[in-house]
Amino acid sequence: MSNPKPSNKCIQIGSVFQYHAQGECGSSYIYYQVVGLRGKTLVELRELQTKDYVDERCRTSQWTWHVWRRPLPGQFQEDAEMITVRALAPGEHNSRNWLQGRGEKSWQYYVEVQADDESIMAGDDGGYARLALKKKGELPEWADVP
């Protein structure tokens, strides 16, 4: 029995992938949409715009700096350049499709998600997102940042 080889044949143009960006003081997610396939293993992605928001789930959270984020498929970041990553072998991580790309300091991994996915930003990233929502007038009064 041989190991499956990496292939992009299970990946569809328009699929959404998420990259988990985690730093020392917070975490957030960046969403990408598949815009092209090259060869047998390469996938072309563009970064999506996202919608950040606070709802009742954040009120009951033990963390005061949580902010929800969801992707906006088909709405790309204005300055987002296309990036090329490679597909991993089916089942290499789990049953979902995974992509791998070269980051500045290490490999970056992207996991396929549903177009209506939600993720949560926490720590400083969540705090900065709340400040941005407040500046735009989209932060509920009860969620105001002290």
Side-chain angles (χ1 to χ4, degrees):
M1 183 172 176
S2 64
N3 289 338
K5 294 184 179 184
S7 171
N8 63 13
K9 69 181 177 184
C10 295
I11 297 170
Q12 304 291 317
I13 291 178
S15 294
V16 175
F17 283 77
Q18 153 195 111
Y19 169 68
H20 181 205
Q22 185 159 349
E24 290 181 25
C25 298
S27 66
S28 63
Y29 293 85
I30 302 169
Y31 290 93
Y32 295 86
Q33 191 164 18
V34 176
V35 294
L37 303 172
R38 290 193 358 222
K40 294 181 180 182
T41 61
L42 298 179
V43 179
E44 296 172 332
L45 301 173
R46 281 193 61 204
E47 186 177 343
L48 288 170
Q49 292 181 23
T50 56
K51 173 72 176 163
D52 294 345
Y53 57 96
V54 173
D55 65 14
E56 288 298 318
R57 294 173 291 180
C58 298
R59 183 189 292 250
T60 60
S61 171
Q62 67 183 7
W63 301 95
T64 57
W65 286 6
H66 277 175
V67 173
W68 287 98
R69 172 173 281 176
R70 69 173 173 219
L72 300 174
Q75 299 180 41
F76 300 102
Q77 293 285 358
E78 283 184 32
D79 58 350
E81 295 182 17
M82 187 171 49
I83 61 171
T84 302
V85 295
R86 76 177 186 98
L88 296 177
E92 196 166 325
H93 284 281
N94 62 25
S95 61
R96 295 190 285 176
N97 288 317
W98 284 78
L99 306 173
Q100 180 185 48
R102 190 79 149 163
E104 288 183 27
K105 298 179 182 177
S106 63
W107 290 107
Q108 293 181 332
Y109 294 91
Y110 308 81
V111 63
E112 189 171 19
V113 297
Q114 298 299 313
D116 61 352
D117 186 67
E118 291 180 308
S119 58
I120 197 157
M121 297 188 303
D124 286 348
D125 290 344
Y128 293 133
R130 280 196 182 207
L131 290 173
L133 288 170
K134 182 177 181 176
K135 189 175 184 179
K136 292 190 291 186
E138 297 176 5
L139 187 68
E141 191 173 303
W142 60 262
D144 202 356
V145 179

